[in-house]
Amino acid sequence: MSAVHLKNNGKLYSKLLFTITLCIVLTLLVSSLFYFFTYMQIDLKKAYQSDVSNLTQTSKEVISMTESAQSLSFQMYRTFNVAKLMFYTEPNIYDVTAAMNELNNYLNSMPFIESIYVYNSANGLFYTASRQGESGTFSKEELADKGILDILGNFQQYRPFTPIPRTYTTVSLAGEQLTKAYTYLGFDAIGKTQTVNSAVIINISSAWINKDIGVNKSDSEGKSFILDNQERLLSGDSLLPRQLSDKDNALLTNKIRNKESGYIVADFEGKKSLVSYTSPDSLDWQYVRVTPYKQVTKAIYSIRNMTILIAAVILVIGLFISWLLSRMLYRPIHQIMSKMNILETEKRNSSYTIRQNMLRSLIQGSQSLQTSTQLQRLSHVGITFDFNSRYRVVLLKIDQLAALRQTRGDDLHVYKFAIMNISGEIGLKHYRVETVDMDADYVIMLLNRLDDTDESDDELLRTVLGQIQQSSLDYLKIGLSVTYSPEAYQAQHLSHLYKLVKEASQHRLFYGHGCLIEAQDIMGLKSKEYIFPVDRERKLTDALMTSKTEEAKKLFAEIVQETAAYPIHVVQLAISHLTMTVNNILFTIQKNNCLDVEASLSIHIPSPDHFETINEVNDIFFSLFDDIQTKLSAKRSTKQSDLIRKINELIQREYANPNLSLNWIADELDMSSIYLSRVYKQQTLSAIVDVINNVRLERAQEHLENTDWSIVDIAVKSGYTSSSYFHRMFKKSFGVTPSDYRKMKLG
């Protein structure tokens, strides 16, 4: 019996139990899904009915209060004492007292009234009765409720006895506080001045009217709004206009305003919500309730989640039982399958290893393919590559290998395997492919042409190789330099092609990382004869010996770059020759200047085979040149400092010597006077002659102050052979003669 047949029989019972369990779970989920959507609609409708009932009740309260405010306003106009406040410019104190008592009686008899204002435009006074704020007579400037002034100033915008929802400031013993109320404005006939002659303002508490729309409830339970006849959306709690986005405004305009009562599920203020609304009432107002969708459907979602959890538990238990029974019934089959899987794995692994070893031996030339028996051995290990048709050898070299070994050293063989897989998958679209790990920093890929045409496939090949490079960079973050051989037709040419691409790949030194090299181009370089540029080598030596570092770098780079047009062994010999030249220069510099510089480059510079690009070669040598220059400069600076110190010591010691001069010092130090003068001037910014003269004059000052020697004696002891010259130099430096200077100091 085959392994596949055993495997299918072994899973028969588990499939049966799994199918039964799955049917139960699906039935439970489908039925729960049906109930979920049904109950969802019921829950939404129930929430809508509750919201609309409260909103409608609030609408009735507002209309009822409107009628009450209208009746109260008419009654106040008919009340004689109150009418005096409205129409008398200067009512007496008794009339005011009687009218204020009337206003307080109205206020106390109607608990829903927050405050009453009576306004007389003739005297500009407000007569107020309030529950929370101050009561009495106020001018426009004294009145805390500045909002009523705006309403009176724009009374044309409001119909009489139409509620005006607003929040205003009141002042009491506790301080300023905000009061939320519905304001009802009643005013008399308008004269020619187009102003209000008198007005009765009744403020009814919003808490009394809005108690049915959930004022002061938390935001999670929903928010209530008033859509008034001025197309404003007012908060049911604060009665302040709501600032809405364009999307929310469009929702109100298209879905709610002037529509019959209903509900919609939509995003409002960025949250999915249930929006319930009433029909326009007699005031042309609509009431809107916005409840978070999650709050409405919380219970339904809880039931849904519980149903899914139950279904998941049933599924897990069913699968476990299926697995357990299947394992118990078919344990012998499982044992057979395990053994067969182990054998298949071992066979696959050994087949891969054998195939890799055989291909590696063929490529390196340790085995050959000359007989049909040898070709049959290839097919036995799974190698289908045809070495007797046109094929190429491609070498994929990993760039920046040293850095990769530091970061991914333990997994480098895994990355090489990944490169082989990527190369195989991309190449198989156009070629028959075999990839071989060469246990170095590169992978060999063998490509078989699938077509029988004689046309060149160079363009297609370069495209495929470019895709391999890009894929390796994208997925593995590894750069590849690729070298490919010309086509061959016989198996015995394989080893030769391998050696050719291996040698050509070393020209990455000049092509750089990520290059694509055609080995045929490199073969043409072997016919060229190379002559080492001895004259530039001599200039390089002179530049290093004279500390011309930049010139030395330029000459070195030119010599190395010229070898790019020659075979790789020429490059290696040229770099080795330059290494020995620099070694000799270093030895000479160290010997002549006692520098602490290593005399041998073999410790610091690897062989040319270890460099990937020519920039790496240049960097190694350039850093060495800079080090030589730094140490030579430090040594030169130290020597010059010692020389300056010696000159100064001679001047201080021999200032009285009339022969002391630049030439005398040069003879004493056995050096050139011109060199001494230049170095001293560079280091001290002073000439030696000036320093000698300054020291002599300083000593002359000391003698004049501390001795009674004659001026002639002091001139001689200071190194001057002519007293007149001494007088002239002293006066030039200090502005006085030596005699006058002594008199000044001795008093």
Side-chain angles (χ1 to χ4, degrees):
M1 183 179 294
S2 66
V4 176
H5 187 60
L6 286 173
K7 187 175 182 181
N8 291 335
N9 285 341
K11 291 185 176 180
L12 179 61
Y13 195 72
S14 61
K15 286 182 178 179
L16 179 61
L17 289 178
F18 173 74
T19 303
I20 295 172
T21 303
L22 193 60
C23 288
I24 295 172
V25 172
L26 288 177
T27 302
L28 180 61
L29 290 177
V30 171
S31 60
S32 298
L33 188 64
F34 172 76
Y35 291 130
F36 171 74
F37 286 110
T38 303
Y39 290 147
M40 182 72 73
Q41 296 301 319
I42 295 173
D43 205 18
L44 291 175
K45 192 168 184 180
K46 183 179 177 182
Y48 154 71
Q49 291 173 347
S50 175
D51 290 343
V52 167
S53 175
N54 293 334
L55 296 175
T56 303
Q57 184 62 34
T58 301
S59 177
K60 293 178 181 179
E61 290 284 349
V62 173
I63 295 172
S64 175
M65 289 298 174
T66 301
E67 295 173 355
S68 298
Q70 185 177 7
S71 299
L72 179 59
S73 298
F74 290 156
Q75 186 176 350
M76 291 173 65
Y77 268 99
R78 290 193 295 269
T79 301
F80 183 68
N81 290 329
V82 178
K84 287 182 179 181
L85 299 181
M86 290 187 283
F87 301 112
Y88 286 20
T89 304
E90 296 181 357
N92 60 51
I93 187 63
Y94 302 105
D95 293 336
V96 172
T97 303
M100 293 301 295
N101 289 334
E102 291 286 348
L103 293 180
N104 285 319
N105 289 336
Y106 289 136
L107 188 68
N108 294 329
S109 63
M110 299 179 183
F112 52 83
I113 296 179
E114 188 68 37
S115 59
I116 301 174
Y117 301 163
V118 174
Y119 172 62
N120 188 331
S121 65
N123 56 20
L125 295 178
F126 286 87
Y127 304 90
T128 67
S130 175
R131 293 187 187 279
Q132 298 181 1
E134 294 180 343
S135 299
T137 304
F138 301 93
S139 65
K140 292 181 180 180
E141 292 76 15
E142 296 171 338
L143 188 66
D145 183 6
K146 301 300 182 183
I148 197 65
L149 300 178
D150 294 334
I151 294 175
L152 291 173
N154 300 281
F155 67 93
Q156 298 92 340
Q157 299 180 8
Y158 307 99
R159 290 185 294 176
F161 304 109
T162 298
I164 305 171
R166 69 190 186 96
T167 299
Y168 62 92
T169 303
T170 58
V171 179
S172 63
L173 294 177
E176 290 188 359
Q177 58 184 356
L178 295 177
T179 301
K180 294 168 281 191
Y182 290 83
T183 298
Y184 294 86
L185 175 64
F187 51 88
D188 65 348
I190 304 172
K192 295 181 180 180
T193 59
Q194 293 294 311
T195 59
V196 174
N197 295 328
S198 62
V200 174
I201 299 104
I202 300 172
N203 296 311
I204 297 179
S205 173
S206 68
W208 190 277
I209 296 177
N210 294 342
K211 59 181 179 294
D212 292 319
I213 61 174
V215 176
N216 296 326
K217 289 186 177 181
S218 64
D219 290 347
S220 62
E221 297 179 9
K223 301 176 184 177
S224 298
F225 302 95
I226 301 169
L227 190 59
D228 67 4
N229 57 350
Q230 295 185 16
E231 298 186 351
R232 297 179 304 170
L233 186 69
L234 307 176
S235 171
D237 187 11
S238 65
L239 297 182
L240 295 174
R242 197 79 168 191
Q243 297 296 327
L244 300 177
S245 64
D246 295 339
K247 183 178 179 181
D248 292 339
N249 275 322
L251 175 68
L252 293 177
T253 303
N254 300 328
K255 301 289 186 179
I256 297 176
R257 185 169 287 124
N258 299 324
K259 298 290 193 300
E260 295 297 324
S261 62
Y263 71 91
I264 57 174
V265 177
D267 287 340
F268 186 80
E269 293 186 341
K271 295 181 180 179
K272 187 177 182 181
S273 306
L274 171 67
V275 184
S276 305
Y277 53 92
T278 65
S279 304
D281 57 15
S282 59
L283 298 175
D284 201 20
W285 283 15
Q286 289 181 269
Y287 296 85
V288 181
R289 177 75 174 173
V290 179
T291 308
Y293 189 78
K294 290 183 178 180
Q295 182 68 24
V296 177
T297 59
K298 181 168 61 175
I300 300 298
Y301 276 102
S302 177
I303 296 172
R304 183 203 64 179
N305 295 338
M306 181 59 68
T307 303
I308 293 175
L309 179 61
I310 293 172
V313 171
I314 294 174
L315 180 62
V316 170
I317 294 175
L319 292 176
F320 176 73
I321 293 174
S322 301
W323 173 79
L324 187 62
L325 291 177
S326 175
R327 185 177 180 85
M328 292 173 60
L329 293 174
Y330 292 96
R331 183 174 297 173
I333 296 177
H334 290 165
Q335 292 176 351
I336 295 173
M337 286 295 300
S338 298
K339 292 180 180 179
M340 293 184 66
N341 288 334
I342 292 172
L343 292 174
E344 289 178 358
T345 302
E346 291 178 352
K347 179 181 178 182
R348 183 171 57 253
N349 292 339
S350 62
S351 176
Y352 174 79
T353 303
I354 293 172
R355 187 167 64 252
Q356 284 286 301
N357 290 336
M358 183 171 291
L359 287 173
R360 195 179 297 113
S361 299
L362 292 173
I363 291 171
Q364 293 175 341
S366 57
Q367 290 188 18
S368 61
L369 290 176
Q370 297 179 349
T371 64
S372 58
T373 304
Q374 292 172 332
L375 291 173
Q376 289 177 358
R377 287 183 59 194
L378 295 180
S379 60
H380 289 162
V381 296
I383 299 175
T384 59
F385 196 84
D386 187 2
F387 288 98
N388 290 321
S389 63
R390 289 185 296 177
Y391 67 91
R392 293 180 187 265
V393 177
V394 179
L395 187 145
L396 309 175
K397 180 173 285 192
I398 299 174
D399 293 335
Q400 298 177 337
L401 184 64
L404 285 175
R405 280 178 173 159
Q406 290 181 354
T407 57
R408 317 182 198 178
D410 296 337
D411 300 324
L412 192 57
H413 64 286
V414 178
Y415 284 101
K416 290 183 68 177
F417 186 75
I419 292 172
M420 294 167 63
N421 284 339
I422 291 173
S423 304
E425 290 179 6
I426 296 176
L428 281 173
K429 298 176 182 178
H430 306 283
Y431 297 92
R432 187 182 294 112
V433 181
E434 287 287 351
T435 55
V436 186
D437 183 0
M438 298 303 293
D439 296 329
D441 62 341
Y442 59 89
V443 171
I444 291 295
M445 184 167 61
L446 305 177
L447 300 179
N448 243 158
R449 287 277 293 272
L450 297 178
D451 57 75
D452 296 330
T453 63
D454 293 331
E455 296 180 1
S456 173
D457 68 332
D458 284 354
E459 184 175 351
L460 173 62
L461 177 66
R462 296 179 72 89
T463 301
V464 170
L465 297 180
Q467 291 174 357
I468 293 173
Q469 288 177 307
Q470 189 62 44
S471 297
S472 176
L473 200 60
D474 292 341
Y475 297 111
L476 305 179
K477 308 303 179 187
I478 293 178
L480 297 177
S481 296
V482 181
T483 308
Y484 63 93
S485 72
E487 285 187 325
Y489 300 89
Q490 297 179 0
Q492 56 267 30
H493 294 159
L494 177 61
S495 177
H496 171 71
L497 293 182
Y498 165 67
K499 294 177 181 178
L500 178 63
V501 295
K502 184 178 179 182
E503 180 181 349
S505 68
Q506 296 183 58
H507 277 261
R508 177 183 63 178
L509 192 69
F510 298 101
Y511 283 81
H513 291 138
C515 59
L516 186 59
I517 303 173
E518 184 177 1
Q520 190 72 33
D521 295 340
I522 306 303
M523 290 174 61
L525 303 179
K526 292 186 175 182
S527 59
K528 302 179 67 175
E529 183 180 357
Y530 177 73
I531 300 175
F532 189 80
V534 179
D535 56 337
R536 266 186 284 185
E537 180 189 21
R538 189 180 303 109
K539 291 179 181 180
L540 171 64
T541 302
D542 294 340
L544 285 175
M545 295 296 291
T546 56
S547 299
K548 298 179 181 178
T549 306
E550 294 303 321
E551 182 180 348
K553 291 179 180 180
K554 181 180 179 182
L555 290 168
F556 181 88
E558 289 177 355
I559 294 172
V560 175
Q561 188 61 41
E562 283 183 354
T563 61
Y566 297 91
I568 195 64
H569 71 273
V570 172
V571 181
Q572 295 170 344
L573 290 174
I575 294 176
S576 298
H577 187 90
L578 288 173
T579 302
M580 293 302 298
T581 300
V582 175
N583 270 329
N584 293 333
I585 296 171
L586 278 176
F587 180 77
T588 303
I589 292 174
Q590 183 184 27
K591 180 179 178 181
N592 294 340
N593 297 278
C594 299
L595 295 181
D596 184 17
V597 180
E598 291 291 343
S600 177
L601 284 176
S602 59
I603 299 175
H604 303 285
I605 301 180
S607 65
D609 294 339
H610 290 78
F611 295 111
E612 292 190 4
T613 63
I614 200 64
N615 289 333
E616 295 178 12
V617 178
N618 291 338
D619 289 343
I620 290 291
F621 280 90
F622 290 175
S623 63
L624 181 61
F625 294 171
D626 290 335
D627 183 51
I628 295 172
Q629 172 63 25
T630 301
K631 293 185 177 181
L632 279 175
S633 298
K635 185 70 175 178
R636 189 179 299 113
S637 177
T638 303
K639 291 174 64 177
Q640 290 178 351
S641 298
D642 291 341
L643 179 60
I644 299 303
R645 179 180 53 78
K646 291 179 180 180
I647 293 173
N648 289 333
E649 289 177 353
L650 280 174
I651 293 173
Q652 292 291 338
R653 188 174 68 247
E654 300 291 337
Y655 71 92
N657 184 354
N659 296 321
L660 179 63
S661 63
L662 172 62
N663 292 331
W664 185 86
I665 294 173
D667 292 339
E668 287 292 317
L669 297 177
D670 195 20
M671 300 181 74
S672 167
S673 60
I674 297 175
Y675 173 75
L676 279 183
S677 177
R678 185 178 73 252
V679 170
Y680 196 89
K681 185 77 171 179
Q682 289 175 348
Q683 295 294 320
T684 65
L685 303 179
S686 300
I688 292 178
V689 175
D690 294 337
V691 174
I692 293 172
N693 192 53
N694 290 337
V695 171
R696 284 175 170 173
L697 290 175
E698 289 174 0
R699 297 296 178 269
Q701 280 183 303
E702 295 175 0
H703 296 327
L704 289 170
E705 295 174 4
N706 302 320
T707 68
D708 56 357
W709 297 339
S710 66
I711 302 301
V712 175
D713 291 339
I714 291 175
V716 172
K717 292 182 180 295
S718 299
Y720 292 100
T721 56
S722 171
S723 59
S724 61
Y725 179 71
F726 169 65
H727 274 76
R728 187 169 61 255
M729 293 304 296
F730 194 92
K731 186 173 183 179
K732 180 179 179 182
S733 297
F734 302 112
V736 295
T737 64
S739 300
D740 293 338
Y741 180 82
R742 172 176 278 178
K743 292 177 182 179
M744 288 170 46
K745 291 298 180 179
L746 298 179

